[in-house]
Amino acid sequence: MNTIDYIIVGDGYAGLFFAHQLIRNNKSFILFSEGRKSASQVSAGIINPVVLKKFTTFWKAQEQIDFLKNTLREIEGYTGKNYLIDAPIHRIFHDENEQKLWLKKSENDELINFLDKNFDHLKAVKNDFLTGKVNQSARLDVSGFFRGLFDFLENQGCLIKEKFSYQEVDTENSIYKNFHFKNILFCEGMGVTQNPFFSDIPVNPNKGHHIKVKLSEKIPEKITIKKKHFLFPVNEDLHFYGGTYDREQLDHHIDDAAVEQLKKGLSEFYPATFEIAEVNVGFRPTVKDRRPIIGKHPEYHNIYVFNGLGARGILNGCYFSKSLYDCIEENIPLPMEVSLDRFK
């Protein structure tokens, strides 16, 4: 029988950022990964402190940005690579009114550090009313992040590539197969609907499509362009464009209407021809109040959930992983805004 501090079930942002908290605090753990690409692993990796539809920000945006940058430096210490890509978002303005609104909002105390007052004109795309740059925005090298952390965990003997079996959890004795554990953390995204411990938490699937395209004319700037969706380079040959939001279509098939929406959206500001090389689909776990769901099972004292990260999975997963760790290890209460207890 192996005695460990934690079992983590789930291999998206929530699971890996919590694993980092355990690594930095010298806790023993194993992480279960089914090997299927989660919504996190096909995500855009956008790090953005601004809601670009309304030019507003959100709860703890600056704290989350600062914490993420520090965390990625810590992860670099054992993976050897920093996965932060300095590619700021440039929001294409639809008209002069959006320019004026941007400038007005840039005077707001909450937005002054995010909305750049100097507008830019981009080459190779239509931006007749210029673009606004979001300061402190960036991207995560998503594929590199997951590959680097999975390789590290595997080399440390912490990664188990198999489906977790709920039926084999002995809750009375805190045993799973040949492991005696102190705590179990479930962070499975939409997989939580099959979890008998937390299947009733109010997480809703939000289906997202994105495409990878070959552009006939290169975009010279290494930035992230935003109009309706995000466009940025993946490598020398491909650009990412997406993603859509759909709360109605719950199957795993590619929706032709969503692909057409993406093609139309890209054509609106990219005048040259492009070819779709790949279409991807994922399901974001979202919550009605747009806050994560974190907390302890009402009956079992050492079983926890970390879910509902939504479209801000990187920021939410990173920042609140420490909140959860401090709750478990230091008995520091979770903020009620993210606590599972808020649904009682």
Side-chain angles (χ1 to χ4, degrees), residues 5 48 95 102 120 197 221 224-225 227 251 267 287-288 301 308 315 320 326:
D5 294 313
N48 175 25
D95 50 39
W102 179 284
D120 295 306
F197 298 103
E221 299 93 344
T224 300
I225 300 173
K227 195 173 184 186
D251 61 79
S267 298
V287 185
K288 190 174 183 180
H301 72 283
L315 291 172
F320 292 109
D326 290 344

Side-chain angles (χ1 to χ4, degrees), residues 39 42-44 46 205-213 228-232 239-263 265-266 276 278-284 311:
V42 299
S43 66
I46 302 294
N206 188 312
K207 186 177 184 178
H209 288 72
H210 74 255
I211 54 178
K212 290 181 180 176
V213 296
K228 190 169 186 180
H229 304 292
F230 292 100
L231 176 71
F232 59 83
H239 276 67
F240 177 109
Y241 184 65
T244 61
Y245 291 83
D246 189 341
R247 294 177 176 84
E248 304 301 325
Q249 298 280 344
L250 301 182
D251 61 79
H252 289 265
H253 303 299
I254 292 171
D255 182 9
D256 291 339
V259 177
E260 284 300 314
Q261 176 188 328
L262 290 170
K263 288 170 62 178
L266 181 53
I276 296 178
E278 190 177 313
V279 180
N280 285 295
V281 178
F283 286 87
R284 312 172 186 90

